[in-house]
Amino acid sequence: MQVSEGMSSLVLMIGPGHTLRQAARLMAARRVGAAVVHDADSQGYGILTERDVLRSVAAGQDPDVELAGDHLTREVVFADPRWSLDEAATAMLRGEFRHLIVTTGGEVAGILSMRDVVRCWSRTRVTA
């Protein structure tokens, strides 16, 4: 099974100027654990995860003041939609993260979470 079969093509995209509270509200409303942060003026794409928000709040920072651009991961591993789910899971385990941004031609095509991988594997085992 390929990444393209397991990824979500509906991706929450935010800007680096969103506050952590705004990002958390959007993630909660969409029921996702990560947002792709697009910074057209500099670094391109990054990812803000629920862990990033949690770390900031745990450190006593104000989520109404802290900006997504200051808490995101910029060194992102991008997945190709043609990767196998095994390749994607290996990349996530190796990097100790739970989300991959899927790109085609430098553009975001989707996002794949470890939960998506497990869901696909479980579905495959049930139907086999």
Side-chain angles (χ1 to χ4, degrees):
M1 200 169 219
Q2 293 184 320
V3 164
S4 61
E5 298 171 81
M7 72 180 195
S8 173
S9 57
L10 294 174
V11 178
L12 176 58
M13 300 275 290
I14 64 172
H18 278 78
T19 66
L20 292 185
R21 184 174 312 278
Q22 290 170 324
R25 283 184 176 149
L26 290 168
M27 287 190 284
R30 297 256 188 107
R31 299 179 63 197
V32 297
V36 174
V37 182
H38 185 243
D39 187 354
D41 295 331
S42 64
Q43 300 289 332
Y45 297 109
I47 192 165
L48 179 76
T49 69
E50 57 206 354
R51 283 185 189 175
D52 298 321
V53 175
L54 180 67
R55 284 184 186 122
S56 175
V57 171
Q61 297 173 329
D62 185 348
D64 291 313
V65 174
E66 295 298 315
L67 301 178
D70 295 328
H71 293 276
L72 59 85
T73 299
R74 293 193 186 278
E75 296 164 9
V76 177
V77 175
F78 295 99
D80 187 286
R82 296 168 295 195
W83 280 11
S84 71
L85 290 181
D86 287 337
E87 288 174 284
T90 298
M92 286 188 246
L93 289 170
R94 187 180 312 120
E96 297 182 353
F97 50 83
R98 296 177 293 180
H99 299 87
L100 283 170
I101 300 173
V102 183
T103 59
T104 302
E107 296 297 319
V108 174
I111 193 160
L112 181 77
S113 70
M114 186 58 86
R115 187 174 88 188
D116 295 328
V117 172
V118 171
R119 179 180 39 79
C120 289
W121 283 343
S122 296
R123 205 176 332 142
T124 302
R125 289 190 176 152
V126 169
T127 59

